[in-house]
Structure formats: C-alpha cells, structure tokens
Amino acid sequence: MSSVLEVFNLKKYYLVRTGLFGRSAQVHAVDDVSFRVEAGETLSIVGESGCGKSTVGRTILRLVEPTAGEIYLDGWRVDTVPIQGMRRLRKKLQVVYQDPFSSLNPRLSVRDIVAEPLENFGMGQSRSEIDDQVADLLDKVRLPRDAMKRLSHEFSGGQRQRIGIARALAPKPDIIICDEAVSALDVSVKAQIVNLFTDLQQELGLALLFISHDLAIVEHLTHRVAVMYLGQIIEIGDRRTMFSAPKHPYTQALLSSIPIADPKAKRNRLVLNGEVPSPINPPSGCRFRTRCPQAFDRCAVEMPKLAQLRVDGHQVACHLHEGQSD
Ligand SMILES: Nc1ncnc2c1ncn2[C@@H]1O[C@H](COP(=O)(O)OP(=O)(O)OP(=O)(O)O)[C@@H](O)[C@H]1O
Ligand SMILES: [Mg+2]
C-alpha cells in the first residue's frame, strides 16, 4: 500500500495574550504528531474537545501554518509548497465540514456549488460537459438530478451534507478530510451519511481522514484510529484492537463511555476525574497523568513515547506498557 498522506512531527503553537496584562503565551494545540493514511483507508482522529483534532486538519489544508513538522501528500511536500503549487495539491485533498448550513453558499444553485471546483480546476470544456459531471456526482451521493436547479437552503441538513460531499468529490481527490462531518446531523441521518462514506470509499478507493469526537460513529466506518489528548497522539492502531483491547488508560476511559450494542458484552465504565488541563501549560511528563487512575512517579517526569506493541502496528504512549514493545 502507498501512503496518500504522511505527517511527521507536526506542531502548531498559537500565540495568545492572557490575563490582565495581556502577556503572550503559547497554546500547544498540536505537539509532535505523526501519522500516515494509506490509499483507500480511513484513519479517524478522536479525542475530547480542544485536543487539537481540527488544528491537525487545518494545518494539512494550509489554513493555518504549522509551527514545525512535515506534511506530504502523495509524496509531495505540502507545508512548504508555494501557493500556486498548493492549488494543484488541493485538487487531491478536499474537505467536508461539520456545518453544511454555513459552508454552502445559499445564493448558489446546487449545480453551481458542485460545478465550482470543476471550473476552478479546468475539469470541463463546456457547460454541458460540466453539467454531465455534476449529474454524475449527484448520482454518487444519491441525490436526485433535479436537485441541480434548486438552491442549497431548500434542502435538509443531511441532503446539504450530500451536496458538500459531491462538491468535495468533484476534483477526484485522493483524500477527503472530514471534520465532524456528521456531528451536527440527527441520529438516523448520521447513519445514512456514514454509510454513504463507506460506499464511496469502496467505489472510488478514496482515503478519508475522519476527525470526530464521536467514537460510536467512528467504530462504524474506520480502519484505524488515532486517539489524541492535549495535542498529542497517545494511541494509534487498527479499529478492532482499539475497540476490543485499548491499551492507554485514556482510550479505555473514552471507550467505556460509549454505549455498546451487544447486551452480553460488558464494559466497565471508567469516569475521568477533573478537567482537561490547559494546553498553554500542559502537565510535565505524561500529559494525561493528572487525570490518570494509574499514574505513578515516572509519569510526572518523563514523557512516554509512542511505542510499537506486538499487536500489528498498534502503538501506545504509556509507561505502563513499556517493556511490551518489540
Ligand atoms: N486560532 C486560534 N488561536 C488560539 N488558540 C486556538 C486557535 N484555534 C484553536 N486554538 C486552541 O487550540 C486547541 C486545539 O483546538 P482544536 O480546534 O484543534 O481542537 P478540537 O480537538 O478540534 O476540538 P473540538 O472537538 O471542540 O472541535 C484548543 O485549546 C483551542 O482553544
Ligand atoms: Mg474541532
């Protein structure tokens, strides 16, 4: 398999002013994150609000400049490419946002919304050629072709998200970043859009970077999962291992709070104490130690590194699991 997206040691620190005297401080939004997404696979990034998920997506899209690190798309460096070069890369890299209400221009017809990237990337010679492609894209997202003539605000949330997905698919990207792409939708609609993503992935061999705080959703569509806490990936691995035998105490706590469908299966509910610490002043050593029920002395002084476990490709950053690595 080849990697569509590779991220190495990504950091994003935001400079902010704090307190009465407006002293400047750094928010460690993303702090040394590395991962790759293979062609045709879904990697989900999960974690509580503020852990840096969207910042990872935004730096890949060049909506914010990274503080450090390297990002590659199909082997091409993204984070240092000049803006003209970024245009070509953006064709391969598309995004679907959470809120289909604000991300679609209400004054444009569905045809024009979906046609925009086709026109921008010069993907049609004539109007009728573009219309044909728009019609095809509407078929792909299971919207009726007569939707073309209507305005996006005439559609429901789920249908608008389909319009947003059609637009993202238009330039035939290799990867789509979905930032909370189903979070704002009703439960039944959520399931339909999740199924649509799964179908599209099979049909088109797309890769997805699926950013979500909702583990129950992620379990339905992902191949691998990366769990973030305070700007860092603390565990990454296959869906099956992650959901059946999570290693990090934080992942265990996150998973214990999601409902399980199988009534025979048991999950002990672990409740996390306290609030997530400030990313301006993260704890020394392991960032999770202030809330970890199993923390010991070493956790305060030494930051655990992501280490490969014997289970295929599964990595965890936790002192409890050292010595189990290969
Ligand atoms: N432009 C900005 N300036 C300063 N701080 C920011 C900025 N954008 C994000 N942050 C901070 O960076 C951290 C990570 O934010 P981010 O939006 O990436 O988190 P998230 O995991 O996507 O959260 P959510 O689940 O709520 O969407 C947070 O502490 C946030 O307040
Ligand atoms: Mg976010």
Side-chain angles (χ1 to χ4, degrees), residues 168-217:
L169 291 174
K172 301 193 167 60
D174 293 336
I175 181 163
I176 299 184
I177 298 181
C178 307
D179 191 347
E180 306 284 1
V182 300
S183 304
L185 306 173
D186 294 343
V187 179
S188 62
V189 182
K190 244 182 217 174
Q192 291 165 16
I193 301 292
V194 164
N195 291 339
L196 177 64
F197 275 123
T198 318
D199 293 350
L200 287 172
Q201 185 160 54
Q202 273 168 14
E203 277 169 46
L204 308 172
L206 263 178
L208 299 177
L209 181 64
F210 197 84
I211 295 170
S212 176
H213 66 277
D214 189 341
L215 280 149
I217 286 291

Side-chain angles (χ1 to χ4, degrees), residues 284-286 289 294-304 319:
S284 64
C286 173
R289 69 170 166 89
Q294 300 176 69
F296 58 105
D297 301 350
R298 190 170 161 204
C299 305
V301 288
E302 193 185 327
M303 186 185 285
H319 292 311

